[in-house]
Amino acid sequence: MEPGAGDGAPHYNENNGSRRPGAMSPASATDAAREADRIRPVLKRLWGQKKWDPATVRAALLPLGYEEERTGSNGKSHGGTLTVRAMNSRFSEGREVTPEGALVGLRVHDDACVTAFVQKSNYQVTTNGPYPETGCFEPPFGH
């Protein structure tokens, strides 16, 4: 059995590598924590106002000085560090459902992100290294 292999399934670590964030340097972790502390009160205020659609969340975060991330058709970054998008859809009661709310990803450094969400039930702000295939956002499922 592989070390850290969850339930002991063969190739668990290999098959789930895309779901593990990269490591952050201590300096990057400090910077990411500082940015998380700037974002948290904004999301707390929006949650209290029952405003969690992506457009409203994006508009509330841009005045903090972040620039919206822009990517080309090939997925290559053309600048900016902030991404605010709809929640991940999931299969529920026989159909795809996208819950109300917004996901937030802020690229602080190449090795550091702030990820957050705000939705009807709660909000959360965390820091992490980037994921190999999806940047700041945890992939919804492995492949």
Side-chain angles (χ1 to χ4, degrees), residues 4 12 19 29 31 37 45 48 52 63 70 72 83 98 105 109 120 124 135 141:
Y12 177 88
R19 295 189 56 84
D31 290 349
D37 289 344
R45 176 177 51 82
W52 40 73
R70 299 175 314 281
T83 301
T98 302
H109 295 295
K120 184 177 183 175
Q124 180 177 322
F141 47 82

Side-chain angles (χ1 to χ4, degrees), residues 38-87:
R38 295 179 68 218
I39 290 171
R40 192 172 290 106
V42 174
L43 296 187
K44 180 180 181 179
R45 176 177 51 82
L46 292 172
W47 182 73
Q49 295 171 345
K50 299 182 180 347
K51 295 179 180 178
W52 40 73
D53 63 282
T56 299
V57 173
R58 183 180 305 108
L61 291 173
L62 288 174
L64 295 179
Y66 305 128
E67 185 179 341
E68 193 166 3
E69 187 172 33
R70 299 175 314 281
T71 54
S73 58
N74 62 354
K76 184 176 169 138
S77 177
H78 291 296
T81 57
L82 177 71
T83 301
V84 180
R85 62 178 175 82
M87 302 291 280

